[in-house]
Amino acid sequence: MKQAIYLLIAAMLVTSCSKVLEEKPQAIAEENFYNSPAEVQAGLNAIYKPIRQGGSMGALYQCQLEIYTEYMYGRGSHAPLNDYAGLDNTNITRVGDIWAQFYEAIRNANIVIKKIPGAKALNAADSARFMAEARFMRGLLYFHLVRNWAGVPLRTEQNMTVLDVPRATTDATYQFLLDDLTYAADNLTEQARLDGAPTKGSANAVLADVYMNLHDYTKAKDAAAAVVNSNKYALVQVSAADDYDKIFGPDVQASPEEVFYLKFSRTPADQGFSYPMYAHYPNSGYYKPGGYYTFYSDAVQNKFMTQWDKNDLRYKYNWYVQTFGLTNTTILNKKFSDKVTNTAAGNDFPMYRYADVVLFYAESAARAADAPDANAMEMLNRVHRRAYGKPTATPDATVDFKLSDYSTLDAFVNLVVRERTYENCSEAKHWFDLKRLGTVKQVIKDMKNITVADKHLLWPIPTNEYNYNKAIDPVKDQNPGY
């Protein structure tokens, strides 16, 4: 059976064979809980449950972010996202639910952070690493909040009982999450406490991403280099398109490429990954329980797809033809497929892979030096070689990019971003790249011939937040256009 962090509400015992972890500290008086390592770990496990739901990072969060990209379209109730004019009421409700689930997870992290200093049966080492995990998750969640909403209310262990918390600035939000993630990088160990829990490498990977979003490329390079130089991770070698299942397949327990994944499993029934349900067509063979085929692309009518080299194994792995009343060149994404499940899928959500970190390093090293060098190009080529079934660490003139052809910073960065788009297809990462680079409007206009409205770049502060949080003014504190 695939091992993972299984977060069962009713479980009250740690079971070694399935790693089912208790997650019910709030059912016990606080003064009698959070004292022993097992009790604190139960609190840590509770952080993950809200974001693993189908309405959050279990499915709909990825759907929202993927449909925004230049290579994808949404259908049904997600079709309005194709207009790039902001969110309609249905999708406003969806992102409001995502907000609520992120803050529920943050609340659970705050409980652990608040209680650890008073735990009576924890040694100093356990206290530091458990605190680091809770702060890692809190920092990671605020990173997702700030990129989608800009500045947000900073709910911490110090103001947990305060309902009215003002909206912080974007800068203050970034500073807060940087403090959390830096603490995590300093205090997490190289070994996760359990599959799916963060490590020092996880924290450095997120820090690299954060610093890239802040355009501090020297710090981004250093954080990415810390992951690379740890020698704890490696690119999984492939020789055929289907070999990418060694990274994304539903039966993969773990791989050398896993830096930080949100873990799922077919069993128990409520622990599966729902995202494939939204990706696939019923009876397509890629997801047995059916499918909503919520998002799709077109092999001929989408400009990005026509430019993607069809010899690239990632193209073959990602796409299959499926007609359902649009065109005969409609394609669906099969990166996350589970052909045998009768419940939800067993695939994990790869929030950070080693390939991500390698490409972070390539871009940030070039930007920090104001020009690419042979090392930055080599890092990029390692990911690119794999896409053609070549050994990742062996130069190959038949597929390698040449530094002389991309010697300027702009040319090299554009090359890295294109490679990352191919690599991260369907992983809910590319939209953030476009926003970070300030190229959203240009790219969507060039590829889809649609003008992106300014309001579409952020999600609205949810109605439920300002209805109950009187420190937020529904007019003055709302994002533009909503």
Side-chain angles (χ1 to χ4, degrees):
M1 177 170 59
K2 179 179 176 182
Q3 307 295 301
I5 290 186
Y6 299 147
L7 306 173
L8 299 178
I9 295 177
M12 291 303 294
L13 295 174
V14 177
T15 306
S16 60
C17 66
S18 63
K19 297 184 181 176
V20 178
L21 300 184
E22 61 172 303
E23 184 220 298
K24 201 176 179 182
Q26 292 169 329
I28 302 173
E30 281 193 10
E31 64 270 18
N32 298 322
F33 210 76
Y34 297 102
N35 288 317
S36 70
E39 291 168 349
V40 173
Q41 288 184 80
L44 289 171
N45 297 337
I47 301 170
Y48 300 84
K49 186 177 187 298
I51 60 173
R52 295 172 71 256
Q53 303 304 304
S56 183
M57 289 182 175
L60 288 182
Y61 186 61
Q62 292 91 329
C63 290
Q64 289 277 335
L65 296 176
E66 278 298 301
I67 292 167
Y68 295 155
T69 65
E70 68 270 33
Y71 54 78
M72 205 76 85
Y73 308 95
R75 57 180 298 279
S77 61
H78 285 85
L81 303 181
N82 301 324
D83 298 332
Y84 295 92
L87 303 182
D88 64 328
N89 288 336
T90 298
N91 286 288
I92 285 175
T93 299
R94 284 178 175 142
V95 302
D97 290 342
I98 292 169
W99 168 288
Q101 288 163 334
F102 283 4
Y103 271 107
E104 182 181 349
I106 288 170
R107 186 276 314 274
N108 293 347
N110 284 332
I111 293 172
V112 175
I113 292 167
K114 181 178 181 180
K115 299 301 293 185
I116 282 178
K120 300 174 183 177
L122 287 186
N123 59 39
D126 281 347
S127 293
R129 68 188 181 97
F130 292 159
M131 179 70 78
E133 181 174 345
R135 292 188 66 176
F136 169 87
M137 289 301 300
R138 185 172 70 177
L140 176 64
L141 289 162
Y142 274 119
F143 185 38
H144 281 270
L145 283 164
V146 75
R147 287 181 294 174
N148 288 303
W149 283 277
V152 295
L154 293 177
R155 298 191 177 277
T156 76
E157 76 278 14
Q158 300 298 327
N159 64 5
M160 289 175 58
T161 61
V162 178
L163 185 60
D164 300 329
V165 178
R167 186 178 183 185
T169 65
T170 297
D171 288 347
T173 305
Y174 266 109
Q175 186 55 60
F176 183 82
L177 68 89
L178 273 174
D179 290 344
D180 270 354
L181 293 169
T182 301
Y183 180 92
D186 289 341
N187 291 279
L188 284 169
T189 62
E190 297 286 3
Q191 182 64 42
R193 69 179 176 91
L194 191 66
D195 288 347
T199 64
K200 184 180 292 292
S202 309
N204 279 315
V206 182
L207 279 171
D209 199 1
V210 171
Y211 283 125
M212 289 180 73
N213 277 265
L214 293 173
H215 309 293
D216 189 336
Y217 293 105
T218 297
K219 289 183 178 178
K221 178 197 70 174
D222 292 344
V227 180
V228 173
N229 295 334
S230 71
N231 296 317
K232 298 291 183 181
Y233 309 95
L235 295 173
V236 172
Q237 186 63 55
V238 307
S239 58
D242 287 347
D243 287 344
Y244 274 95
D245 260 348
K246 297 176 183 177
I247 304 170
F248 304 106
D251 296 309
V252 176
Q253 164 63 33
S255 81
E257 197 151 334
E258 181 176 325
V259 178
F260 183 68
Y261 285 21
L262 205 57
K263 307 294 280 189
F264 295 90
S265 179
R266 298 181 186 119
T267 57
D270 62 347
Q271 299 302 309
F273 194 29
S274 299
Y275 186 43
M277 177 71 78
Y278 292 83
H280 294 294
Y281 191 80
N283 301 316
S284 65
Y286 292 106
Y287 188 66
K288 190 176 177 182
Y292 304 139
Y293 50 110
T294 298
F295 50 89
Y296 67 95
S297 191
D298 193 289
V300 173
Q301 296 188 16
N302 183 275
K303 289 183 180 180
F304 183 86
M305 288 301 167
T306 63
Q307 296 171 8
W308 194 339
D309 180 11
K310 302 308 182 289
N311 292 315
D312 186 332
L313 298 179
R314 294 169 299 191
Y315 184 91
K316 298 176 183 178
Y317 181 73
N318 268 287
W319 302 101
Y320 67 97
V321 176
Q322 183 68 62
T323 59
F324 45 83
L326 295 175
T327 72
N328 60 6
T329 53
T330 301
I331 50 179
L332 296 180
N333 190 275
K334 60 185 176 75
K335 174 173 277 186
F336 299 102
S337 303
D338 191 333
K339 299 177 181 179
V340 302
T341 185
N342 290 307
T343 56
N347 314 78
D348 298 328
F349 175 39
M351 299 189 75
Y352 289 91
R353 298 190 281 122
Y354 186 60
D356 298 330
V357 178
V358 169
L359 294 174
F360 287 166
Y361 179 85
E363 180 184 341
S364 58
R367 287 186 181 275
D370 206 32
D373 61 12
N375 185 44
M377 181 59 83
E378 170 62 16
M379 298 298 276
L380 170 60
N381 272 327
R382 290 185 178 187
V383 177
H384 187 68
R385 288 173 199 139
R386 179 174 69 175
Y388 290 83
K390 306 291 186 178
T392 59
T394 304
D396 191 314
T398 65
V399 297
D400 281 1
F401 298 118
K402 296 178 181 178
L403 184 59
S404 59
D405 293 337
Y406 302 93
S407 58
T408 67
L409 181 60
D410 284 349
F412 182 76
V413 168
N414 289 338
L415 181 65
V416 174
V417 172
R418 187 182 71 183
E419 194 71 15
R420 193 155 52 228
T421 310
Y422 297 151
E423 187 70 24
N424 291 152
C425 182
S426 198
E427 294 179 44
K429 298 169 183 174
H430 182 55
W431 179 247
F432 290 138
D433 255 358
L434 295 179
K435 289 177 64 173
R436 170 178 68 85
L437 296 166
T439 60
V440 167
K441 293 189 176 185
Q442 175 188 336
V443 169
I444 300 302
K445 184 66 174 178
D446 290 347
M447 293 293 168
K448 290 184 172 179
N449 197 29
I450 299 173
T451 299
V452 178
D454 289 339
K455 66 181 291 188
H456 197 75
L457 298 176
L458 291 173
W459 290 343
I461 303 297
T463 303
N464 282 346
E465 181 67 29
Y466 57 72
N467 277 349
Y468 296 98
N469 180 358
K470 299 308 178 184
I472 292 184
D473 187 290
V475 177
K476 294 179 181 179
D477 292 321
Q478 184 56 276
N479 281 329
Y482 292 102

